[in-house]
Amino acid sequence: MALKKSSKYGTDFLKENMMGPNSIKILEEMAESLKIEKGMRILDLGCGRALTSIFLAKEYDVTVFATDLWISATENYERIRSMGLEDKIIPIHAEAHDLPFANEYFDLAICVDAYHYFGIEENYLTDHFAPPVKKGGQIAVAVPGLKKEFTDGVPAELQPYWIEDMSLTLHSRDWWYDLWKKSDSVSIQECKELNCLEDAWQDWLSCDNDYARRDIGMMEAEGGNYYNLVSIIATKS
């Protein structure tokens, strides 16, 4: 698929800062269903090394609050400043259950490749992710997932690579839809499988780090049979 905006970013810069499947390709595809307008305030939760925040600020001329727990605000600020975006991106160090934002502060909230670590909790969306978004604003999440739930246990070919928490975090599109449907805070706009799965994963597997190298065998064993990228977009009620 042709993702023109994300293709402008240098391979070296991306490979140096990716923490999983190429997040800006995932975001660009997801953005086709988002109303992003100049000057918006956007929450980028679980932003990692702020690639998605940089992409949003550069491509859409918005203000982004780049929020992460694992990467310090100072480290992200240095990266943001190197891109000349210090007036557009505010780095925040925060845990997902303790977000330091006013209610109804953001026009849009996104979370790419991180929501599955905390958003699997039944009340997370209602209690934590939806409150900072304005009524009528959008909430958009993309997560690694499964084509369908493993009702008979983890397939044998995946078991050598399976980490215990993956059974908690990896779910199907239908599972995520059913979870979000329980929330009175949002109305679901779309819940779908993203087309950029193969491209986003290939970019990650070509990175020179131990985590990416560890995933090569897993993706070869998976063979396109089980994994998915799930996008879910909702409007704040």
Side-chain angles (χ1 to χ4, degrees):
M1 59 179 304
L3 294 172
K4 295 179 180 177
K5 289 185 171 70
S6 52
S7 66
K8 296 185 291 190
Y9 290 77
T11 303
D12 291 345
F13 176 73
L14 291 178
K15 287 185 177 181
E16 190 180 322
N17 294 299
M18 267 192 269
M19 296 177 70
N22 191 334
S23 57
I24 66 171
K25 283 187 176 175
I26 295 169
L27 176 55
E28 182 175 0
E29 183 177 348
M30 190 164 59
E32 294 171 0
S33 300
L34 298 175
K35 298 186 285 285
I36 307 178
E37 298 173 1
K38 179 179 177 179
M40 276 186 165
R41 271 199 302 255
I42 298 178
L43 168 60
D44 184 2
L45 180 59
C47 67
R49 296 194 175 96
L51 287 178
T52 42
S53 299
I54 289 167
F55 180 79
L56 285 167
K58 283 183 72 71
E59 300 300 326
Y60 298 98
D61 196 12
V62 292
T63 299
V64 188
F65 286 68
T67 305
D68 201 79
L69 176 65
W70 295 345
I71 306 298
S72 76
T74 298
E75 181 186 331
N76 271 341
Y77 179 59
E78 290 169 357
R79 196 167 9 261
I80 291 160
R81 191 167 53 181
S82 75
M83 300 292 284
L85 293 168
E86 61 267 35
D87 293 336
K88 288 288 182 186
I89 305 175
I90 299 93
I92 304 284
H93 185 253
E95 201 277 327
H97 296 83
D98 190 21
L99 298 175
F101 305 118
N103 287 348
E104 299 188 33
Y105 185 73
F106 294 104
D107 300 290
L108 167 67
I110 70 157
C111 184
V112 178
D113 198 21
Y115 193 81
H116 52 302
Y117 293 117
F118 42 82
I120 51 173
E121 298 166 14
E122 185 166 328
N123 294 320
Y124 183 81
L125 176 62
T126 300
D127 293 348
H128 299 286
F129 201 37
V133 180
K134 297 175 183 176
K135 286 181 171 60
Q138 289 181 299
I139 298 170
V141 164
V143 290
L146 302 173
K147 293 184 188 297
K148 59 182 181 180
E149 297 294 307
F150 293 153
T151 52
D152 298 322
V154 178
E157 57 266 47
L158 293 182
Q159 287 179 9
Y161 308 97
W162 202 257
I163 302 166
E164 189 175 345
D165 71 349
M166 291 165 78
S167 294
L168 292 173
T169 60
L170 294 184
H171 292 288
S172 65
R173 177 188 62 182
D174 290 347
W175 187 94
W176 282 105
Y177 182 86
D178 290 342
L179 179 67
W180 279 40
K181 200 168 60 173
K182 295 175 183 175
S183 174
D184 294 332
S185 298
V186 303
S187 57
I188 298 172
Q189 177 184 325
E190 68 175 35
C191 185
K192 68 180 185 180
E193 302 168 0
L194 294 175
N195 295 317
C196 66
L197 171 77
E198 189 173 341
D199 284 350
W201 267 101
Q202 283 304 318
D203 290 346
W204 166 238
L205 297 179
S206 67
C207 290
D208 184 24
N209 73 57
D210 290 340
Y211 293 104
R213 282 188 285 271
R214 180 196 67 189
D215 284 347
I216 290 173
M218 177 183 71
M219 294 309 290
E220 286 177 352
E222 185 269 346
N225 294 314
Y226 304 110
Y227 290 159
N228 208 345
L229 284 173
V230 177
S231 167
I232 182 164
I233 297 173
T235 303
K236 173 78 174 286
S237 301

